[in-house]
Amino acid sequence: MKKILLLSFFFCFSSFAQNNVFYFVRGTDTIYAKQISYNLTIQSYLSSINYTDMDGKTVELKGKKNLADVTSFYIGGSTIDRIPQKASKPKSYVKWATRVVDGKLKVNYYYNEMRVNNMSTGFMGGGTTTSSITKFFIRMPDGTFYDIRKSGDRKKYIIPYLKQCDAFNSAYKGNFDSSYEEFTKTITLYNSLCK
């Protein structure tokens, strides 16, 4: 018999700092704050946002209607964007991923490790199993997401797009490696040369 222990049903990210400004993007509006925290459902949808506005007033937003158009947070020096669970299905479930490259092309990275305790009465049963989820997506200027780790997305969409920029073609000598470090360097170079 296996028993899965779920440690938390929601994710809460809080940031507290003096003299720092945080914000979140809601539709076409950017809401600035002195402090922000938010909670997610098990499916990674927002369930609430709590923040202290620039005048010191505490505000709480709840409910799908108030939270559906929130797309990004800037907290603790990092931008966290809503991305699709699957790049090919942008209207499916979502994740909230750190923006690791900003500019014309944006790159988001998400990693979550989960540990499951397996309880068993068998002789060799029991123990802990670790699994992880990684998302490494590029967002094009039209808002389309592609999965960087999928060779089909790189060959069919990402690389042809990058090669349209002559300045990038002249400067880039790499092989379009999909590793985190190399790919983020590639897109940073592209953003610096191609406006």
Side-chain angles (χ1 to χ4, degrees):
M1 181 178 148
K2 291 184 178 180
K3 185 176 180 182
I4 298 174
L5 300 176
L6 187 59
L7 299 176
S8 127
F9 286 97
F10 64 91
F11 171 80
C12 180
F13 191 103
S14 297
S15 228
F16 302 96
Q18 297 175 5
N19 304 321
N20 286 331
V21 176
F22 306 104
Y23 64 82
F24 63 97
V25 178
R26 183 177 177 202
T28 57
D29 297 326
T30 300
I31 294 95
Y32 292 91
K34 294 179 179 179
Q35 170 191 340
I36 298 175
S37 66
Y38 62 88
N39 295 311
L40 302 176
T41 67
I42 190 83
Q43 295 88 14
S44 296
Y45 289 103
L46 284 169
S47 60
S48 67
I49 299 173
N50 296 284
Y51 66 97
T52 303
D53 69 15
M54 298 309 287
D55 295 326
K57 179 182 171 190
T58 301
V59 180
E60 180 178 34
L61 299 175
K62 280 185 165 185
K64 197 181 244 186
K65 184 179 177 182
N66 290 320
L67 302 171
D69 59 349
V70 175
T71 57
S72 298
F73 291 94
Y74 180 79
I75 300 175
S78 296
T79 301
I80 302 156
D81 297 311
R82 184 179 68 203
I83 65 169
Q85 169 76 10
K86 294 183 178 181
S88 61
K89 296 182 179 180
K91 300 205 184 276
S92 65
Y93 289 115
V94 301
K95 292 290 179 199
W96 292 86
T98 303
R99 188 184 302 172
V100 294
V101 177
D102 201 359
K104 182 177 182 180
L105 300 178
K106 295 173 177 42
V107 176
N108 290 97
Y109 184 80
Y110 171 90
Y111 177 80
N112 186 27
E113 188 174 278
M114 298 165 286
R115 292 191 178 141
V116 178
N117 291 326
N118 301 313
M119 310 283 186
S120 176
T121 57
F123 179 70
M124 297 298 289
T128 301
T129 304
T130 301
S131 63
S132 63
I133 298 170
T134 302
K135 304 291 174 194
F136 192 31
F137 290 173
I138 187 169
R139 184 171 47 176
M140 308 305 267
D142 67 358
T144 304
F145 288 90
Y146 293 109
D147 190 332
I148 295 159
R149 296 177 308 148
K150 289 188 175 179
S151 63
D153 280 3
R154 284 193 320 278
K155 290 176 184 174
K156 190 173 180 181
Y157 303 107
I158 300 169
I159 295 170
Y161 182 89
L162 297 174
K163 287 185 172 185
Q164 291 175 11
C165 176
D166 292 334
F168 175 78
N169 270 336
S170 297
Y172 185 68
K173 305 300 179 206
N175 64 358
F176 299 99
D177 192 325
S178 66
S179 71
Y180 175 85
E181 185 176 311
E182 289 305 313
F183 192 84
T184 55
K185 286 179 185 176
T186 301
I187 302 305
T188 300
L189 175 65
Y190 177 91
N191 284 342
S192 72
L193 297 171
C194 309
K195 306 297 181 191

